[in-house]
Amino acid sequence: MAALYTLWMGLALLGALGILQTPAEAQVSPQPDFQQDKFLGEWFTSGFASNSSWLRENEDQLYVSKSVVVPMENGGLNFTNIYISKDQCNTRSLLLQPEGTPGYYSYKSPGWGSTREVWMVDTDYEDYALLYTVGTRDLGQDAHVIFLYSRSQTPSDEVKEKFTTYAKAKGFTEDSIVFLPQMDKCLE
Ligand SMILES: *[C@@H]1O[C@H](CO)[C@@H](O)[C@H](O)[C@H]1NC(C)=O
Ligand SMILES: *[C@@H]1O[C@H](CO)[C@@H](O)[C@H](O)[C@H]1NC(C)=O
């Protein structure tokens, strides 16, 4: 009885501390004291690390893209992303819904009917931001992707290094880390 009680108390404590979570949540947490208002404005998606087979197969068709981030009334973020595809500039809005904790969002992919979780894991707001994302279906079953966002089209070596170090610490191999080439079209 005593042993069972101790075990139960232990589990209750772990639960209260938020340690009993899904594996992804246990590994990833947003930057402490994430300040969404400082994150607004213009960003360039300049790289990613992933184990998504879709991204790997299509990476030679991907270029640096631009996003303009504005807040939504519900506390989420609206990313208007301008990207190049088949030599055309395309625009789409990615709506990140707030999930209670600052820096933690979910994104429902309209085309795929799947949900992707997004954590703002590290940012200095002025140069770079690292977004850790986990989702199903859209980029392949249980694909983990870390995106590098930079305020300039070409991130500094220091920022690239920071991103590479973070991705490797999360178990991504060197060959899964991609810095996207630039195409001036669609970036003005
Ligand atoms: C997101 O921003 C775009 C561009 O400003 C706008 O057209 C769209 O209505 C916005 N969507 C929401 C839900 O705020
Ligand atoms: C990607 O990596 C994560 C974390 O290691 C793992 O849980 C997941 O199953 C992997 N997904 C694929 C498609 O390899």
Side-chain angles (χ1 to χ4, degrees):
M1 268 312 272
L4 254 183
Y5 178 76
T6 310
L7 176 66
W8 187 86
M9 272 310 287
L11 287 176
L13 262 178
L14 286 179
L17 293 172
I19 294 169
L20 292 183
Q21 291 175 329
T22 61
E25 279 172 333
Q27 294 168 6
V28 190
S29 51
Q31 170 162 297
D33 192 30
F34 174 75
Q35 287 168 284
Q36 180 168 284
D37 55 330
K38 288 190 179 174
F39 182 83
L40 306 177
E42 202 169 286
W43 287 102
F44 295 93
T45 310
S46 51
F48 62 83
S50 88
N51 62 3
S52 152
S53 46
W54 186 90
L55 276 178
R56 195 162 290 187
E57 282 156 23
N58 292 280
E59 79 188 33
D60 57 347
Q61 294 163 43
L62 300 173
Y63 299 91
V64 172
S65 68
K66 185 169 100 174
S67 290
V68 179
V69 183
V70 297
M72 293 196 291
E73 271 176 23
N74 69 359
L77 291 173
N78 178 350
F79 280 64
T80 300
N81 179 232
I82 303 121
Y83 64 102
I84 191 161
S85 174
K86 300 193 175 78
D87 212 36
Q88 299 283 319
C89 298
N90 297 283
T91 303
R92 65 186 158 192
S93 288
L94 293 111
L95 306 176
L96 269 58
Q97 307 298 340
E99 285 296 335
T101 310
Y104 175 41
Y105 305 86
S106 65
Y107 163 68
K108 276 200 174 41
S109 162
W112 297 88
S114 65
T115 302
R116 181 156 282 276
E117 292 175 276
V118 180
W119 292 266
M120 302 286 179
V121 291
D122 187 15
T123 181
D124 66 354
Y125 308 102
E126 305 205 326
D127 286 317
Y128 73 96
L130 308 184
L131 281 66
Y132 198 110
T133 78
V134 177
T136 52
R137 290 211 288 235
D138 54 346
L139 298 172
Q141 194 57 41
D142 197 23
H144 289 220
V145 187
I146 310 171
F147 289 100
L148 169 62
Y149 278 64
S150 47
R151 289 289 192 188
S152 65
Q153 295 177 28
T154 32
S156 67
D157 289 344
E158 198 187 337
V159 162
K160 283 168 137 179
E161 183 63 36
K162 195 182 273 287
F163 169 60
T164 303
T165 304
Y166 178 80
K168 285 184 177 169
K170 289 289 172 194
F172 291 87
T173 55
E174 186 87 49
D175 70 337
S176 69
I177 300 170
V178 175
F179 293 102
L180 293 165
Q182 245 175 278
M183 187 105 104
D184 287 339
K185 201 172 169 177
C186 315
L187 289 181
E188 299 80 47

